[in-house]
Amino acid sequence: MNDPAVFKDSPWKALDPALLAQAANVPTMLAPEEQQFYAWATSEWMQDKGAVVDLGCFAGGSTARLAAGHQHAGHTGLIHAYDRFGANEEVKTHILYKQGIAPFEGNNILELAIDLLTPWTERISLHPGQIEDQSWEEGPIEILVMDASKTVQTMDAMTRTFFPSLIPGRSLVVQQDYLFWRQPWIAIQMELLADYFVPVAHVPNNTMVFLNTKQIDGTALEHAAVGPIPHDRRLDLLRLAHQRTTEAGFDVSMPMDEQIRTFEQHPNVDRAKHFVQKF
Ligand SMILES: C[S@@+](CC[C@H](N)C(=O)[O-])C[C@H]1O[C@@H](n2cnc3c(N)ncnc32)[C@H](O)[C@@H]1O
């Protein structure tokens, strides 16, 4: 599958539910349609031209959905999943225990993720630790999922590490939190890179998917850094991102307005958890 027009009809919504049956055992923070999209991206869009990279896999939920599609299509490459693999008591109670994991001591969830991902072990490589400290030397990346851009600094670092390996005309960047009111810097960065990507899908709740259209080189990376940009310019870029996504036909005006209003009230915030209130 190579024609970006395919995204117009949201074909992932027609995914055979059987494809996700085994992955349903792995707890996830993803919404149902996002789960369908992940499996569709690896089973239908992907052509085995590069790796799959999952930044922020938590207990393996997103990785399992990606792996289910990857296995269904018979792909041979690897899915590289990154996380610090920690969960506090609140996350354990509200996400893990609620989705069927038996209560356990401590905060480390690496062993849990390894166990949960057993059905797809041979196609997954786990990378524990801070993602911003990692390097990438595994060649082209065909599907890049970003779900760990919780601060401007870590997002900028992840972009520097992984974006140069995207394949123009082929690679998807799945921005899981693009529409989340606590992370306006994602839309700001994709606006800075507007010459290198086109938005191809909105997947509720918060995901925007982008097709890479041009090689990410040193010039692109210089453009992409949000860290050095002052608040007023960030706000302008966020407004432009709102304009671009709505003009492209996506029904995202409400969450983008919410992001803009919230960012106006919280100048200079660089970390998701420092946004105290949604406006
Ligand atoms: C929203 S959760 C991901 C949910 C997951 N994709 C799923 O399907 O359930 C974000 C994850 O990113 C991880 N994370 C955030 N920032 C990180 C960083 N700088 N380095 C490593 N992991 C990070 C967190 O540990 C957390 O598990």
Side-chain angles (χ1 to χ4, degrees):
M1 195 173 288
N2 213 5
D3 182 1
V6 72
F7 293 93
K8 284 265 178 281
D9 298 328
S10 309
W12 50 91
K13 289 193 202 172
L15 191 84
D16 179 357
L19 208 154
L20 281 171
Q22 202 169 26
N25 297 324
V26 187
T28 183
M29 300 186 197
L30 300 177
E33 190 177 330
E34 290 167 341
Q35 298 176 38
Q36 289 176 308
F37 181 84
Y38 280 42
W40 175 87
T42 47
S43 64
E44 302 299 323
W45 174 261
M46 201 175 151
Q47 293 180 351
D48 226 359
K49 300 268 196 262
V52 180
V53 173
D54 186 11
L55 301 182
C57 64
F58 182 52
S62 41
T63 318
R65 276 80 186 166
L66 293 164
H70 199 264
Q71 185 173 54
H72 180 78
H75 293 316
T76 54
L78 278 179
I79 301 167
H80 295 266
Y82 293 76
D83 208 290
R84 57 171 79 99
F85 294 104
N88 60 28
E89 290 306 318
E90 196 190 334
V91 170
K92 283 163 67 177
T93 304
H94 293 294
I95 312 280
L96 295 178
Y97 302 164
K98 225 179 188 168
Q99 294 185 46
I101 301 299
F104 61 94
E105 296 291 318
N107 300 137
N108 191 318
I109 58 167
L110 177 58
E111 288 306 318
L112 174 67
I114 292 172
D115 278 357
L116 290 168
L117 292 170
T118 304
W120 310 277
T121 299
E122 75 286 357
R123 55 187 74 239
I124 294 173
S125 172
L126 296 182
H127 301 256
Q130 291 298 113
I131 305 170
E132 62 274 23
D133 297 339
Q134 313 263 358
S135 56
W136 176 257
E137 279 150 24
E138 308 295 328
I141 298 173
E142 195 167 359
I143 310 272
L144 175 61
V145 175
M146 299 190 75
D147 196 3
S149 300
K150 309 301 169 195
T151 75
V152 169
Q153 286 68 28
T154 54
M155 177 189 71
D156 279 352
M158 291 174 209
T159 297
R160 273 196 305 277
T161 302
F162 296 99
F163 275 28
S165 299
L166 298 173
I167 313 159
R170 177 99 293 273
S171 298
L172 299 181
V173 174
V174 181
Q175 290 285 11
Q176 179 60 41
D177 282 323
Y178 185 97
L179 296 167
F180 187 44
W181 61 278
R182 285 182 191 269
Q183 286 162 253
W185 39 84
I186 300 173
I188 292 168
Q189 181 161 80
M190 294 314 284
E191 190 56 31
L192 287 166
L193 289 172
D195 290 345
Y196 297 83
F197 291 96
V198 286
V200 289
H202 165 220
V203 187
N205 298 332
N206 293 320
T207 300
M208 285 294 301
V209 182
F210 293 82
L211 177 69
N212 174 234
T213 52
K214 197 171 149 188
Q215 182 66 48
I216 303 284
D217 54 13
T219 313
L221 290 181
E222 268 173 43
H223 270 75
V226 175
I229 297 179
H231 180 73
D232 285 354
R233 174 82 184 120
R234 290 185 188 183
L235 209 42
D236 287 344
L237 288 160
L238 193 55
R239 293 188 182 114
L240 287 171
H242 181 185
Q243 197 179 331
R244 183 179 307 280
T245 44
T246 47
E247 281 177 3
F250 298 109
D251 181 17
V252 295
S253 210
M254 235 164 63
M256 290 301 286
D257 273 338
E258 197 172 81
Q259 263 195 4
I260 292 166
R261 282 197 308 275
T262 305
F263 200 40
E264 283 168 345
Q265 300 299 324
H266 295 82
N268 305 315
V269 167
D270 268 7
R271 308 181 80 81
K273 61 182 175 198
H274 290 173
F275 283 101
V276 286
Q277 195 189 345
K278 175 159 70 167
F279 286 86

